[in-house]
Amino acid sequence: MHHRAHRFRRPNTPRPAATRRTPETTLFSGVYGLILASALAAALDSPGEADEPGSDALWVLLTALASAAAHGYAHVVAHRLSADGSGVRVGLRAMLAEWPVVVAAVPTVVLLLTAMPSWWTETQAVNTALLLNTLLLAGWGAWTARSAGRGWTASLRAGIADMLIGLVIIAANALIK
């Protein structure tokens, strides 16, 4: 009966901690990865330059890996400063916990790779990746708000707010190019 109790709670009341499914770091890293992949793809696709979607896909992937490692390492440094005295294993776990940064970059990498066999241009792949990532940001924002126990209205507002980040990247890409 406890698993059904959340269906009958008042709107906008948070779920009990036991029913929350998504750790905060996973959510943060996923959003960060989507924004990072979008910004990189937009920056790497320069007008007037030869299309190099394979090289650009590799850069997006390597940058996501480096960012995940750097963010995890920053957690290690922060723990050291708090006199935690954690060992190497804890540090490696902190870095591996940033896997959502890399996973969030995968759709962009895949779309860039589809431009390699000339199925479409790199610019089309980048534009599609920017649109997809913007939609993923909206869905991610709404989903995380729902996971935190927010009502549908608040969740949709959160999704729209996250989507605005993607729209800013799209607008910046259009203005710069």
Side-chain angles (χ1 to χ4, degrees):
M1 173 119 82
H2 174 358
H3 67 297
R4 293 183 188 176
H6 72 275
R7 288 186 190 172
F8 303 107
R9 71 183 186 286
R10 290 185 179 160
N12 296 325
T13 56
R15 288 182 182 166
T19 62
R20 292 188 187 141
R21 297 182 192 104
T22 311
E24 186 177 320
T25 56
T26 301
L27 304 175
F28 170 82
S29 297
V31 169
Y32 179 78
L34 284 169
I35 294 167
L36 177 70
S38 294
L40 279 169
L44 290 168
D45 181 37
S46 298
E49 289 184 7
D51 280 359
E52 296 184 34
S55 175
D56 290 351
L58 184 59
W59 271 111
V60 170
L61 184 60
L62 290 176
T63 303
L65 286 166
S67 295
H71 194 256
Y73 184 69
H75 284 292
V76 171
V77 171
H79 284 283
R80 269 192 223 139
L81 291 175
S82 69
D84 187 345
S86 302
V88 172
R89 259 188 278 163
V90 172
L92 286 173
R93 266 187 267 153
M95 286 189 257
L96 291 174
E98 297 300 322
W99 62 266
V101 172
V102 179
V103 171
V106 168
T108 301
V109 170
V110 169
L111 285 168
L112 285 168
L113 291 175
T114 63
M116 283 182 62
S118 300
W119 292 341
W120 54 1
T121 67
E122 182 177 3
T123 299
Q124 290 169 320
V126 167
N127 290 341
T128 303
L130 293 177
L131 179 61
L132 176 63
N133 289 350
T134 299
L135 294 173
L136 288 171
L137 281 167
W140 195 258
W143 177 68
T144 57
R146 286 293 297 160
S147 295
R150 304 282 187 245
W152 279 107
T153 303
S155 297
L156 291 175
R157 277 194 309 259
I160 290 168
D162 283 3
M163 184 177 76
L164 289 175
I165 298 168
L167 293 175
V168 166
I169 294 170
I170 290 171
N173 187 44
L175 291 172
I176 292 170
K177 296 179 178 167

